[in-house]
Amino acid sequence: MFIKAIKVSNYRSLKQDDYIVDFAIPNGKPGSGLTVIVGPNNVGKSNLFHAMDFVFNKSGTDNIKHKQRLDDSCVVQLEMQDDDIDSSIDEYVQDNKKATFKSLVYDKDNRPSFSIQRIADTKAQSIEIWHEKEAKFKNVSGIDAPLDAWLTFLPLWANTSTEEVASYSAKSIINKLLGKIVEEIQNDEDYKELHKQFDKIFGGGNKSVLGSKTLTISDEVSSLIHDQFADVGIKFQAEPPKIDQYIKQIKTMVHDGDETEITDKGNGLQRAIMIALIQVYAKSLNKGKAKKPFFLFIDEPELYLNPQSQKILLRSLRKIAANEQVFIVTHSPYFIDWADYNSGAKVGRAKKLSDSTVINCLDPSTDYSSLISGDVKDWQKPYILDVAAKELLFAEKVLFLEGQEDVGLIRKWLLETDKDIKFDLFGYGVGGFGNYAAYLRLAKDLGLLKVAAIYDNGAAETLKMAGDANIQSDYMLCQLDANDIRDKYRPCNSCTKCTAGRYKECGSKIQYKSGCFDESGMTKSASSEYKDFCSKFENIVTFMES
């Protein structure tokens, strides 16, 4: 079963009512079940998943309401869908609740659905299930434990300690991984023999080692007590330890030349092992007759990992996300893979708007999604959507330029003139002025704060810029007097060098583009084109800083 959408009202920084975010549903393709949320610090990116944790695990129940709405209820709803919810209920829900849960499965968009919500008001909090026939959520008695046994939401927060994952405790991963094994151990003949030996040594009878060695003491105490209480005597015995007491002694040991506990290792290795344990647990859930609903959330998976390790981790998560839902909040472009987006993954960007967190998700039906799809398949342009281009997802202010020469020359010019700009130049350019519209729409859907674009001079560019201006009225689009970023020449095709096929040696080249920089990329300080470029770039700087 998968979470189709979450609806949040008044939870932490999610101030508004009925705020809905849809999630990626895995379709068997690697990465298809990934939902990746990016954005600046302190905008509430993780709160969407804290809200999910609030529903499943009743966690974070203190200070969960928006500071401006403390008297209003906090409500978080989860809508889940699957083709065969009944089989999942049969496999993982306790017998006395199966019929109740099955009766609350309803049809939506021709798919079986099941929805739950948790409410926190001024009095208490409660979990409720959607009743389709009555068109409302209602409390069902005794459902917390059955829901917990059925649905597994496993969060790995940025501040999750290694002990919470790798040490034995009620809700740790190690506990979940060893749960089935523990059941098998209790029925093992060696374990039963252990208890027999324990009884021989520590049992209460005089024949046990403890009983025989403490017989003198117990007889003397009993004799003294007998004077006051005629029928009273004592003996010493030990209760056999429960299996939990053995299991709690289990430690996760790491051997890398020396064998030490995981907590003695570096943070990077600790987090890598924690994530590996989660991956093994996720794999173990698919061994029943029906798949156990499992939802994995990782907050800042890049913590303590270098870029290469981040890419390796993403490959592992992509495998899980072929069949499971994986939610990620990240500051790293290495956890965005456009091939996953084309397979069905969701990519969203969080920002603060009117003191509330808003998450803008990319729309797969738009022209920029078609452009992304084409660029992913274009093996001749592997740089178009690489790490530099993906930084757009993390930017607040961006300047779009037509091509890679524009980006390269302007970066060079900024260094030479010692200019410090407080905005980003997009990747390697948009790949031609015809692509500006798609990237401007992408910036709009991402909710970027400030966006500008520079067009070359030309009738086609002028017409295109006029149309692009309708995408977002507060974007700054400007057109240069120059018809290219630098001067460009072509061979004359008539001199002796050209007729001999040595075009690069042509001494009579014909200029066909007049730019802001000369052919070699040097500034044309006295030219009107360069002065126009400087003036318009300063206008962009002023716009970005306003």
Side-chain angles (χ1 to χ4, degrees), residues 399-402 406 432-437 440 452-458 460-469 471 476-484 532 536 540:
L399 171 61
F400 288 113
L401 298 166
E402 192 169 313
D406 301 73
F433 71 90
N435 291 332
Y436 271 132
L440 292 171
I454 296 178
Y455 294 70
D456 291 337
N457 196 9
E461 288 88 339
T462 301
L463 184 63
K464 191 69 173 64
M465 189 176 77
D468 294 347
I471 293 171
M476 182 177 186
L477 310 185
C478 62
Q479 188 170 24
L480 300 175
D481 288 347
N483 54 21
D484 208 313
D532 171 70
K536 284 172 180 168
I540 290 172

Side-chain angles (χ1 to χ4, degrees), residues 313-540:
L313 174 57
L314 177 61
R315 287 200 291 271
S316 298
L317 295 177
R318 293 179 75 242
K319 291 178 182 178
I320 297 176
N323 300 297
E324 309 285 357
Q325 282 183 300
V326 179
F327 309 97
I328 293 173
V329 165
T330 182
H331 296 103
S332 171
Y334 291 103
F335 286 94
I336 307 289
D337 190 315
W338 295 117
D340 296 337
Y341 178 69
N342 288 334
S343 296
K346 292 273 188 182
V347 178
R349 184 177 184 276
K351 69 173 186 177
K352 273 287 184 71
L353 186 66
S354 301
D355 207 28
S356 182
T357 298
V358 174
I359 296 173
N360 300 94
C361 291
L362 300 188
D363 183 351
S365 67
T366 59
D367 52 356
Y368 61 73
S369 291
S370 298
L371 193 63
I372 288 170
S373 177
D375 286 339
V376 167
K377 296 172 184 176
D378 193 344
W379 57 271
Q380 292 178 311
K381 299 177 181 177
Y383 54 84
I384 290 292
L385 290 171
D386 72 352
V387 172
K390 285 184 284 190
E391 288 179 357
L392 173 68
L393 298 167
F394 303 87
E396 282 288 329
K397 305 172 182 180
V398 67
L399 171 61
F400 288 113
L401 298 166
E402 192 169 313
Q404 58 183 331
E405 277 196 357
D406 301 73
V407 176
L409 271 175
I410 290 178
R411 288 191 189 283
K412 173 178 172 291
W413 173 73
L414 289 170
L415 287 171
E416 291 173 349
T417 55
D418 197 28
K419 289 185 180 294
D420 179 28
I421 59 171
K422 295 179 174 60
F423 54 91
D424 293 290
L425 306 181
F426 171 67
Y428 304 99
V430 301
F433 71 90
N435 291 332
Y436 271 132
Y439 283 101
L440 292 171
R441 269 187 277 271
L442 173 60
K444 179 181 178 181
D445 282 0
L446 288 172
L448 268 60
L449 184 62
K450 295 275 188 175
V451 176
I454 296 178
Y455 294 70
D456 291 337
N457 196 9
E461 288 88 339
T462 301
L463 184 63
K464 191 69 173 64
M465 189 176 77
D468 294 347
N470 296 319
I471 293 171
Q472 183 74 9
S473 60
D474 58 357
Y475 288 175
M476 182 177 186
L477 310 185
C478 62
Q479 188 170 24
L480 300 175
D481 288 347
N483 54 21
D484 208 313
I485 193 66
R486 68 181 177 94
D487 293 342
K488 291 183 179 176
Y489 296 82
R490 61 170 174 257
C492 68
N493 292 321
S494 59
C495 68
T496 55
K497 301 290 187 183
C498 288
T499 54
R502 293 152 61 186
Y503 299 107
K504 290 184 178 179
E505 299 176 32
C506 175
S508 304
K509 292 180 181 178
I510 300 170
Q511 184 173 2
Y512 69 99
K513 293 283 187 181
S514 179
C516 312
F517 301 83
D518 67 19
E519 187 178 23
S520 64
M522 301 303 291
T523 57
K524 295 164 51 178
S525 303
S527 72
S528 61
E529 292 93 344
Y530 177 74
K531 292 176 180 177
D532 171 70
F533 164 77
C534 292
S535 173
K536 284 172 180 168
F537 198 89
E538 283 303 317
N539 290 341
I540 290 172

